[in-house]
Amino acid sequence: MRRILLVFTLSTIISAVYAQENAEALIGGMDTIGNDSVVFTPETASAYMTGLLNMENLWSPEGDTMRLSLARLVNHFEEPFDSVENRLIRFNYDSIRLKNMSIIHNDTLPLRWLNDSTLIVDTTELEKDPFIVQKTIVKKAIDTTSLPFQYDLPSAEKLLQGKPQEQDSLVMAKDTVTGLQDTTLTSDDLYIQKREPDKQKLESLKNRKGIMIVELDTIIEVFLDTLFLQSQNIEIHRLIDDRIVPSFLPPDSHKAFRFLPDSSKIVVSDTMEVIVPEGKSPFYIIPSEKMPDSLRLAVETLLAYTNQRDSILLYFNDIQGGKIPFWLTSGKDELYRYWVKNYKNDSITIWVGNPSKLDITLLLEQDVHVNRLTKDVLDELPITDLRPVRTLAEVEPLKEIPVYWEYNFSSSFSVNQTYLSNWSKGGESSLSNMLDINGTAIHTNKAEKTEWTNNFRLKYGSTITEEYGLRTNTDMFNLNSQFNKVIKEKIDFSALFYMKNQIARGYKYPNDSVVVSKFLNPGTFTIGAGLEYKPFKKTTLNFSVLSYKNTFVLDTANIDQTRHGIEKDKRTRQEMGGQLLVKNSISILDGLDMSNTLRLFTNYLNKPQNVDVDWEINLERKINWYFTILLNFHFIYDDDIRFPVYDEKDTPVLLPDGSTKKEPKLQFKQFMGLTLSFKF
């Protein structure tokens, strides 16, 4: 089915610049039926709707199809007429419920205070400062002959010698010389201000009985350049008894203003009483309560006029009851193709044209042949090869299935072996090994911007010698769980749990009869929350500003808890503080990688300056696919773990009470060996 687009023109073109007042005046000037009805002509209905379309406050900011439909109706958009008609007729104008509402518009103006009571509106950039500074130098002469004798003044001779005065003032010798005949000195005879005196005038002034001192005073006056402000069209306001003179607002204005608390700006408020609809509506501010009814009548009037003048809707009915719509318009040159069927369902093609509004052109398709089905013998039935119709099918893109969990597992086994036989320099045959197992499970949710990382590490090593047999040299079992939530790029909120433990029993060799550690004796776990910063791809800084650290020994009957920083009569050492965890891995050379893990912990409640340090450094040099050379350094410093102090003769140092003196020391462990690595 093909539809012909509706095109219509109004005989009278109305300007689209009607304001709200024009629309209301238009309604007031129309004929009325009763008290509420309004009679429109097509021209006035179009003008009324044009005025409403130009009122921005009338329509909801969210937009609505009704405004677009009205614009298409008035501005003659090329759209099927029934679409516009049905949309506007189906709108329920009676459903609009109105209410009165006050809307306040605020405008903020910056102020500039010229003094405590004078100000201007600082919205114009001034070319210069609106103040004029004027300096006035005032001279005051003092005759020393009139001063009391006890008044201490420098003599004329001292003044003439040019000695510096305490104040940098201008002193001038001036007076008539008593005892000298016909000799008078004026103020221009001599000025003395830190310069060499005139010797001749010095001789003539030795017998002078008085001098004149001139004091200088500078008066600085600041004036407001009102002429400059007037040239810039800037009005000067003054604050008088909590009133602004002249006022910022006209005398008959209904606006109000107020100062901000710091008096740097003024807020001008304008309150408007408006009518708004309740609930969902295409309108925002309505000019009058009669507007919905007037708009409905205008739509009906203009639709009826357009339907009568511009188009006629026809329907082609077939013998099966089907209807095909066809619009008669003001005239189109194009022909449209229709299929016509008879009672045997045979189809022929006709072309329908519309040269004018009341004329129809029918044109039969050329070379039309009607073929009927017949029954023939199969052998004599012709077979016609037809090319199949191929079209592209719409394919929906596959949705990515998120993979939340990622697992990593790696293990390495290192062996060192030394064999000695008849070695004159001494030594001992030994075999040492170390197993290092790492497992990681990471849960990532990109939509929620979260990451949960779980890691465990088992590191165990032993040494076999001819004299002492099998001994443990490395025993470590760690659990680490960390949850991150992205706050900003490279900055996450972080919460972590870290536990450090060992597996086998430990002894302080060569004494292998006393156990100093075993599983969960001691054990340490840390819980913290804070922020994590990722400045680079393989570098993270995690600062748990609030951390809780607990070191415990469960079997105090067999394990000396004081060796692990726990008081003698307790099983645990609890600390509340902050933890900084720094992780970094870099490639120094081709195939040589270095990784660092540094943990710093400070106890807020007990000696926060004593920071616990746990620093592990790994250097790996890859030889081939399986083998690497591993060099491991491990540093531990804990102020709560103390060791006996020995003198030069390797004798324990005793305190006055007879106990052994102990102090914290740096713990260091180093391992180097050939490692067989596997990663999954």
Side-chain angles (χ1 to χ4, degrees):
M1 179 183 68
R2 301 286 298 275
R3 290 186 176 181
I4 301 175
L5 296 178
L6 170 64
V7 179
F8 57 92
T9 59
L10 294 176
S11 59
T12 303
I13 301 177
I14 307 298
S15 174
V17 294
Y18 275 83
Q20 177 177 350
E21 294 80 3
N22 296 336
E24 294 177 351
L26 183 62
I27 294 296
M30 294 179 182
D31 297 333
T32 59
I33 301 176
N35 295 326
D36 298 327
S37 301
V38 179
V39 178
F40 280 102
T41 64
E43 291 77 12
T44 56
S46 176
Y48 176 73
M49 285 192 291
T50 302
L52 294 179
L53 290 172
N54 291 333
M55 296 169 56
E56 294 297 334
N57 292 335
L58 172 64
W59 307 99
S60 173
E62 300 178 355
D64 190 85
T65 56
M66 182 181 181
R67 186 180 186 184
L68 179 60
S69 301
L70 292 173
R72 287 182 174 179
L73 180 62
V74 175
N75 298 318
H76 314 151
F77 274 70
E78 292 186 359
E79 183 185 16
F81 180 74
D82 56 346
S83 300
V84 177
E85 182 182 23
N86 293 333
R87 186 182 301 118
L88 296 178
I89 291 178
R90 285 197 304 266
F91 183 81
N92 187 7
Y93 298 88
D94 296 332
S95 64
I96 301 176
R97 297 292 180 264
L98 306 179
K99 65 178 181 179
N100 295 324
M101 182 177 180
S102 298
I103 298 179
I104 300 177
H105 296 280
N106 293 327
D107 189 13
T108 303
L109 301 176
L111 302 179
R112 179 174 179 179
W113 290 85
L114 305 178
N115 55 33
D116 294 341
S117 61
T118 307
L119 68 153
I120 61 174
V121 178
D122 192 15
T123 57
T124 304
E125 184 177 357
L126 300 179
E127 300 177 355
K128 65 176 183 177
D129 198 75
F131 296 99
I132 300 175
V133 180
Q134 179 176 338
K135 295 182 180 180
T136 304
I137 300 177
V138 180
K139 298 181 181 181
K140 181 179 180 183
I142 302 176
D143 189 357
T144 58
T145 59
S146 62
L147 297 177
F149 293 102
Q150 64 270 20
Y151 197 91
D152 188 13
L153 289 175
S155 63
E157 183 176 353
K158 290 184 178 180
L159 293 174
L160 293 174
Q161 290 176 356
K163 293 184 178 181
Q165 305 301 311
E166 295 180 358
Q167 297 181 354
D168 189 14
S169 60
L170 179 62
V171 181
M172 179 174 60
K174 179 183 179 183
D175 199 4
T176 59
V177 180
T178 304
L180 297 178
Q181 298 297 330
D182 299 330
T183 303
T184 302
L185 297 178
T186 63
S187 60
D188 297 329
D189 289 341
L190 182 62
Y191 277 87
I192 303 172
Q193 188 178 10
K194 296 183 181 180
R195 66 179 184 179
E196 293 297 328
D198 191 322
K199 294 182 179 181
Q200 294 179 357
K201 293 186 178 182
L202 176 62
E203 294 296 334
S204 64
L205 294 176
K206 285 184 178 180
N207 298 323
R208 290 178 57 86
K209 294 183 179 180
I211 62 173
M212 183 69 69
I213 299 176
V214 178
E215 292 183 350
L216 300 182
D217 190 10
T218 302
I219 300 176
I220 300 176
E221 298 175 292
V222 181
F223 300 91
L224 180 62
D225 193 353
T226 57
L227 295 178
F228 169 72
L229 294 178
Q230 291 176 1
S231 66
Q232 300 295 320
N233 295 325
I234 297 177
E235 188 174 13
I236 301 175
H237 303 269
R238 288 178 174 82
L239 181 62
I240 302 174
D241 297 332
D242 296 333
R243 295 183 300 107
I244 300 298
V245 179
S247 176
F248 291 101
L249 306 176
D252 56 346
S253 176
H254 59 276
K255 299 181 180 179
F257 68 90
R258 59 182 174 85
F259 289 99
L260 293 182
D262 59 351
S263 299
S264 63
K265 295 179 181 178
I266 189 172
V267 179
V268 180
S269 303
D270 185 11
T271 303
M272 298 175 55
E273 299 295 334
V274 296
I275 302 175
V276 297
E278 295 182 351
K280 186 177 181 181
S281 173
F283 310 113
Y284 177 47
I285 297 178
I286 296 177
S288 65
E289 296 179 353
K290 297 182 179 180
M291 191 279 297
D293 294 334
S294 300
L295 177 61
R296 175 177 58 186
L297 185 57
V299 169
E300 294 174 355
T301 302
L302 201 55
L303 286 176
Y305 173 77
T306 304
N307 187 23
Q308 179 183 2
R309 190 197 69 170
D310 290 339
S311 60
I312 298 176
L313 178 61
L314 298 181
Y315 289 95
F316 294 150
N317 298 334
D318 56 22
I319 59 176
Q320 298 177 354
K323 293 184 177 182
I324 301 175
F326 182 78
W327 285 94
L328 294 180
T329 64
S330 58
K332 293 290 183 180
D333 296 332
E334 296 87 358
L335 297 177
Y336 297 93
R337 188 176 188 181
Y338 288 86
W339 295 90
V340 180
K341 296 182 179 181
N342 59 12
Y343 69 99
K344 292 185 177 180
N345 207 28
D346 297 326
S347 299
I348 60 173
T349 300
I350 61 173
W351 293 85
V352 180
N354 180 210
S356 65
K357 183 176 180 180
L358 301 178
D359 294 333
I360 297 178
T361 300
L362 299 178
L363 179 63
L364 183 64
E365 183 83 357
Q366 298 293 333
D367 300 329
V368 174
H369 300 280
V370 178
N371 295 324
R372 303 183 183 279
L373 297 177
T374 58
K375 294 182 178 180
D376 294 332
V377 181
L378 183 61
D379 294 339
E380 299 179 358
L381 181 66
I383 298 176
T384 304
D385 293 332
L386 298 177
R387 178 178 296 179
V389 178
R390 295 183 176 91
T391 58
L392 296 177
E394 294 184 1
V395 178
E396 295 183 359
L398 296 177
K399 295 183 179 179
E400 180 181 0
I401 300 176
V403 178
Y404 294 106
W405 283 100
E406 178 183 354
Y407 304 95
N408 296 312
F409 181 81
S410 64
S411 64
S412 61
F413 182 71
S414 304
V415 177
N416 283 338
Q417 187 267 340
T418 303
Y419 175 74
L420 301 176
S421 177
N422 300 324
W423 191 255
S424 61
K425 295 183 179 180
E428 185 179 17
S429 299
S430 65
L431 176 65
S432 61
N433 61 80
M434 186 179 69
L435 177 65
D436 193 353
I437 300 176
N438 276 281
T440 304
I442 303 175
H443 182 274
T444 304
N445 191 331
K446 295 182 179 179
E448 299 294 334
K449 297 183 179 181
T450 59
E451 185 177 82
W452 181 27
T453 304
N454 300 276
N455 174 265
F456 81 92
R457 184 181 184 185
L458 173 62
K459 189 176 182 180
Y460 183 82
S462 61
T463 301
I464 303 175
T465 61
E466 293 180 357
E467 181 178 357
Y468 298 106
L470 179 64
R471 292 182 177 182
T472 299
N473 60 7
T474 301
D475 189 0
M476 182 176 66
F477 178 68
N478 296 342
L479 290 175
N480 191 1
S481 181
Q482 180 175 333
F483 175 81
N484 280 24
K485 170 72 174 180
V486 176
I487 300 177
K488 194 178 180 181
E489 184 180 3
K490 297 185 179 181
I491 299 178
D492 299 350
F493 167 78
S494 176
L496 58 84
F497 170 81
Y498 173 70
M499 182 175 183
K500 182 170 64 174
N501 193 16
Q502 64 280 323
I503 300 298
R505 294 189 174 188
Y507 304 90
K508 187 178 181 182
Y509 298 109
N511 185 0
D512 58 357
S513 61
V514 179
V515 180
V516 297
S517 65
K518 64 179 183 179
F519 181 67
L520 293 180
N521 292 273
T524 302
F525 69 86
T526 304
I527 301 174
L531 298 176
E532 183 172 270
Y533 176 56
K534 301 176 183 178
F536 309 106
K537 183 177 181 180
K538 296 183 179 180
T539 301
T540 59
L541 287 83
N542 188 299
F543 179 53
S544 299
V545 65
L546 184 61
S547 297
Y548 169 74
K549 182 179 180 181
N550 190 315
T551 303
F552 57 88
V553 173
L554 301 180
D555 188 4
T556 56
N558 298 315
I559 305 297
D560 183 10
Q561 69 270 29
T562 61
R563 295 179 55 87
H564 308 290
I566 303 175
E567 296 181 8
K568 189 173 183 179
D569 57 344
K570 295 183 179 180
R571 291 187 177 184
T572 62
R573 184 179 80 250
Q574 304 184 53
E575 300 173 87
M576 182 64 69
Q579 176 179 266
L580 175 63
L581 174 60
V582 181
K583 292 184 179 181
N584 170 261
S585 60
I586 59 175
S587 296
I588 302 177
L589 299 173
D590 186 17
L592 178 60
D593 299 329
M594 181 178 71
S595 61
N596 290 270
T597 301
L598 174 63
R599 292 180 184 272
L600 304 176
F601 182 86
T602 178
N603 189 347
Y604 293 153
L605 306 178
N606 184 20
K607 298 179 181 180
Q609 70 276 11
N610 295 335
V611 179
D612 298 341
V613 181
D614 190 338
W615 187 11
E616 185 175 2
I617 305 174
N618 286 320
L619 288 171
E620 292 186 7
R621 180 68 168 88
K622 190 172 183 180
I623 300 176
N624 53 33
W625 186 263
Y626 297 104
F627 291 99
T628 59
I629 297 177
L630 173 64
L631 178 60
N632 175 265
F633 300 95
H634 200 166
F635 303 88
I636 296 178
Y637 179 84
D638 192 338
D639 185 69
D640 297 314
I641 301 177
R642 298 177 177 268
F643 300 88
V645 179
Y646 297 92
D647 56 14
E648 297 177 354
K649 297 180 180 180
D650 203 17
T651 302
V653 179
L654 301 179
L655 296 174
D657 59 356
S659 61
T660 303
K661 181 180 180 180
K662 295 182 178 181
E663 62 182 19
K665 294 183 180 180
L666 178 65
Q667 306 175 48
F668 173 70
K669 181 173 62 177
Q670 178 265 330
F671 176 84
M672 182 176 181
L674 182 65
T675 303
L676 179 64
S677 302
F678 296 95
K679 294 183 180 181
F680 304 94

